[in-house]
């Protein structure tokens, strides 16, 4: 039996095929399609359309759908025997919204994505209508965030009322792509729906007050929310005919972070994963929703039916790349500079907010430096990595996990020197994974879990994650002396400085 997992991220669409025989799972094929280079006609840069306003970040649903078509062709030519393809599922960048008319055409050719920070007024309106940050967070898992789909919908309704009126269905990226696969209207799962400021965490259904506070007539435009293991249809006849694929079951899609929870094997409480991708995220499973009183983190639904706590940082891989490029380095050169600089960076601090930051809330982008000269390449290399790791450690404390072990994933987890800083700052053992894309792997594993349940032969989550989503023990990076030496005090200093400098509006500081 084989299962296909897909992941539509900010910059690319990835796929993985796993084979399951006698309960053992192995990866038999993987592939990725980069958006910018494969579809230059759409004009995206790192998967995003250029904009004069740094707060506005949109991308192109037609490009995502084109990539899906291209990927199914690649799957068909993968050389894997697909007669045994039982099911597929997928994940996507979270929060983005796609506006579809009744005739199936798009009411808006572009979609706001998770990097957008242009909905401050909409957030304020929704927060006021629902009784404040704490009330909204305790009900939906998060206070209002600018990238969340509810505030985005409110802005769309206010700025383009005619297009909103002509919208029949508002999809997230995940349900938009799943809809293509079944040639119908796909529902949402609680994992992705909890990134909208619209879902009631307790009922895992729409919260009527939030729906009413967001935009008129919204209830009729939202997809239903179904349990995470739901089979929503089969691969539509047009895909079967076009690519010679079987009528495999399609399992509801979810967000990339919930899917990564499975792809990094986090099916119990007590461990966290750190994903170092376009966004950096820290997340872990929660049996009961413990909402962040400080308002930086989120509680989402988990694919296991539990919950997950997560904190999201916008200046992830693109910030690391900006520093690398500014000082004319390649990745080996970047790593060499990390090795050559001491933990603590001689007191030099960098706040790497090249773009508006989500955590902490920094609406006006720009680097802030403390004791750091703009020409100091080594100081910036260690500065960006230490800043990212300290921000992650500080801002994920609300999850209440005593972090002893970290599962590291995402592109930068291939870099041992970056993982050493992660291990030192958290004073925790860090493990890596074989599979490059944990969201994509998680989608394939979720397809297996749901298909087994639908076939009347359920497989437990521990069995599903055992072979492929277990960290490679040989990959462990252990904390050095800095874990108990410099970093505890430096983390406190970083937190204090962060409170001050995030209010500065001058990018040249
Ligand atoms: C999660 C978030 C990002 C995107 C990246 O809240 O905004 O991690 O999901 O694809």
């Amino acid at each position: 039996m084989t299962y296909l997992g897909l992941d539509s991220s900010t910059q690319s669409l990835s796929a993985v095929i796993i084979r399951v025989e006698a309960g053992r799972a192995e990866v038999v094929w993987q592939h990725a399609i980069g958006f910018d280079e494969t579809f230059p006609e759409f004009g995206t840069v790192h998967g995003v359309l250029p904009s004069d306003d740094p707060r506005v970040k949109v991308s192109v649903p037609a490009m995502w759908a084109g990539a899906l078509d291209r990927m199914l062709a690649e799957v068909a030519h993968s050389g894997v025997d697909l007669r045994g393809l039982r099911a597929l599922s997928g994940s996507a960048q979270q929060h983005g919204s796609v506006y579809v008319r009744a005739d199936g055409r798009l009411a808006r050719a572009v979609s706001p994505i998770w990097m957008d920070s242009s909905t401050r007024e909409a957030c304020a309106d929704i927060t006021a209508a629902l009784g404040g940050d704490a009330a909204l967070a305790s009900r939906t898992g998060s206070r209002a965030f600018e990238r969340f789909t509810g505030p985005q919908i409110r802005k769309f309704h206010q700025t383009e009322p005619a297009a909103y009126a002509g919208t029949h269905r508002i999809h997230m990226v995940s349900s938009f792509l799943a809809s293509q696969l079944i040639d119908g209207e796909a529902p949402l799962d609680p994992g992705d729906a909890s990134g909208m400021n619209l879902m009631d965490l307790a009922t895992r259904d729409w919260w009527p007050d939030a729906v009413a506070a967001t935009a008129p007539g919204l209830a009729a435009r939202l997809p239903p929310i179904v349990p995470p293991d739901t089979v929503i249809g089969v691969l539509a006849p047009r895909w079967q005919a076009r690519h010679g694929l079987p009528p495999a079951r399609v399992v509801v899609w979810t967000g990339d972070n919930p899917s990564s929870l499975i792809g990094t094997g986090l099916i119990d409480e007590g461990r966290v994963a750190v994903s170092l991708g376009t966004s950096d995220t820290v997340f872990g499973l929660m049996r009961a929703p413990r909402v962040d009183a400080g308002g930086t983190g989120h509680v989402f639904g988990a694919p296991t039916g539990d919950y997950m706590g997560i904190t999201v940082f916008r200046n992830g891989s693109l910030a690391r790349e900006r520093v690398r490029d500014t000082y004319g380095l390649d990745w080996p050169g970047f790593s060499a500079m990390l090795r050559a600089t001491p933990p603590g960076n001689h007191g030099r601090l960098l706040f790497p907010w090249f773009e508006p930051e989500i955590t902490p809330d920094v609406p006006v982008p720009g680097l802030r430096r403390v004791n750091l000269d703009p020409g100091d390449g080594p100081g910036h290399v260690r500065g960006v990595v230490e800043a990212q790791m300290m921000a992650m450690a500080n801002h994920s404390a609300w999850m209440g996990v005593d972090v002893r072990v970290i599962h590291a994933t995402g592109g930068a987890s291939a870099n041992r020197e970056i993982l050493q800083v992660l291990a030192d700052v958290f004073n925790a053992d860090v493990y890596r994974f074989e599979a490059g894309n944990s969201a994509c792997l998680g989608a394939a594993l979720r397809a297996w879990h749901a298909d087994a349940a639908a076939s009347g032969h359920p497989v437990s989550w521990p069995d599903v994650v055992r072979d492929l989503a277990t960290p490679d023990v040989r990959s462990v990076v252990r904390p050095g002396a800095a874990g108990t030496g410099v970093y505890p005090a430096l983390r406190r200093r970083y937190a204090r400085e962060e409170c001050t400098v995030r209010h500065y509006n001058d990018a040249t500081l």
Side-chain angles (χ1 to χ4, degrees):
M1 292 179 292
T2 49
Y3 296 98
L4 170 64
L6 298 157
D7 175 53
S8 181
S9 71
T10 316
Q11 307 194 49
S12 58
L13 175 69
S14 306
V16 62
I17 301 176
I18 62 169
R19 183 184 295 133
V20 179
E21 297 295 347
R24 312 295 307 187
E26 59 174 340
V27 170
V28 291
W29 183 81
Q30 320 193 44
H31 190 66
I33 295 175
F35 294 138
D36 296 356
E37 57 274 28
T38 313
F39 300 98
E41 63 274 25
F42 290 105
T44 56
V45 178
H46 299 302
V48 188
L49 285 181
S51 154
D52 293 337
D53 184 341
R55 295 169 306 174
V56 171
K57 298 286 173 185
V58 297
S59 190
V60 194
M63 178 180 76
W64 302 329
L68 187 64
D69 182 24
R70 188 77 67 96
M71 186 60 91
L72 291 180
E74 297 283 353
V75 167
H77 293 106
S78 62
V80 177
D81 181 357
L82 293 166
R83 285 171 300 183
L85 181 67
R86 303 264 324 177
L88 62 153
S89 189
S91 62
Q93 54 172 310
Q94 298 195 247
H95 316 296
S97 40
V98 184
Y99 300 82
V100 186
R101 298 191 329 198
D103 62 7
R105 309 229 321 245
L106 294 180
R108 189 182 184 189
V110 298
S111 285
I113 64 161
W114 68 273
M115 295 168 133
D116 189 276
S117 56
S118 67
T119 65
R120 199 148 280 241
E121 292 79 18
C123 286
D125 294 347
I126 292 169
T127 306
L130 295 171
D133 286 340
L136 186 52
S138 67
R139 199 69 182 243
T140 69
S142 307
R143 67 167 170 81
F145 279 83
E146 291 173 290
R147 70 193 193 287
F148 274 44
T149 323
Q152 292 289 343
I153 293 170
R154 182 170 179 80
K155 178 186 162 194
F156 180 55
H157 155 69
Q158 288 179 329
T159 55
E160 296 182 53
Y164 178 81
T167 300
H168 161 77
R169 178 65 81 231
I170 301 174
H171 278 296
M172 298 184 81
V173 185
S174 62
S175 59
F176 169 68
L177 290 170
S179 299
Q180 309 289 312
L181 294 177
I182 59 172
D183 250 347
E185 289 198 2
L188 287 167
D189 90 311
D192 218 14
S194 44
M196 301 176 84
N197 284 137
L198 290 170
M199 190 189 89
D200 186 331
L201 271 187
T203 63
R204 291 165 207 230
D205 204 349
W206 302 118
W207 176 23
D209 293 4
V211 174
T214 298
L218 178 55
R221 292 175 167 84
L222 293 172
I225 303 172
V226 299
D229 249 2
T230 305
V231 174
I232 60 170
V234 295
L235 199 56
R238 81 176 155 109
W239 298 115
Q240 297 176 37
R242 189 165 159 79
H243 299 304
L245 295 167
R249 285 174 167 147
V250 178
V251 175
V252 66
W253 285 37
T254 188
D256 48 8
N257 292 292
S259 202
S260 284
L261 194 72
I262 301 303
T264 52
L266 293 184
I267 53 166
D268 286 309
E269 282 192 311
R271 290 185 175 201
V272 297
V274 165
S275 173
L276 301 171
T278 310
S279 62
D280 287 346
T281 58
V282 190
F283 54 85
L285 184 126
M286 285 178 174
R287 293 267 176 245
R290 293 186 300 276
V291 172
D292 176 18
T296 52
H298 318 298
V299 177
F300 292 160
T304 53
D306 302 294
Y307 298 92
M308 64 184 286
I310 176 166
T311 308
V312 179
F313 302 83
R314 166 147 174 214
N315 287 282
S317 65
L318 299 180
R320 289 183 286 275
E321 284 170 25
R322 286 278 283 271
V323 170
R324 182 199 62 185
D325 296 345
T326 302
Y327 299 99
L329 301 168
D330 53 10
W331 285 123
F334 187 95
S335 296
M337 270 193 185
L338 264 184
R339 271 196 305 275
T341 43
N345 210 12
H346 297 303
R348 298 169 293 195
L349 286 184
L350 175 65
F351 294 85
W353 300 319
F354 290 94
E355 300 286 343
E357 181 49 66
I358 294 167
T359 312
D361 179 22
V362 182
V364 180
L367 294 189
R368 279 74 157 169
R369 302 179 175 93
V370 179
N371 303 334
L372 179 60
D373 186 271
D376 177 354
H380 281 75
V381 167
R382 182 159 279 277
V384 67
V385 178
E386 287 192 342
Q388 290 176 326
M389 302 311 161
M390 289 196 285
M392 278 199 271
N394 289 349
H395 290 294
S396 60
W398 70 272
M399 285 163 57
V401 180
D402 178 17
V403 181
R404 297 276 164 82
V405 175
I406 295 172
H407 293 195
T409 179
S413 68
N415 185 316
R416 210 184 152 85
E417 283 71 25
I418 291 180
L419 294 194
Q420 186 63 58
V421 182
L422 176 63
D424 289 347
V425 168
F426 278 81
N427 196 30
D429 290 347
V430 174
Y431 290 90
R432 286 205 316 237
F433 288 81
E434 283 291 330
N437 185 328
S438 57
C440 196
L441 175 64
L445 296 174
R446 290 188 298 100
W448 172 20
H449 189 266
D451 176 62
S455 306
H457 306 289
V459 186
S460 70
W461 283 112
D463 285 343
V464 165
V465 302
R466 189 190 52 233
D467 295 335
L468 297 176
T470 305
D472 179 356
V473 284
R474 290 159 311 177
S475 73
V476 67
V477 178
R478 296 196 193 282
T484 47
V486 254
Y487 284 122
L490 193 61
R491 275 177 55 181
R492 286 194 294 277
R493 180 175 158 230
Y494 185 86
R496 277 196 311 274
E497 302 269 13
E498 185 190 79
C499 281
T500 314
V501 299
R502 79 189 182 89
H503 298 295
Y504 293 173
N505 285 351
D506 183 349
T508 61
L509 281 163

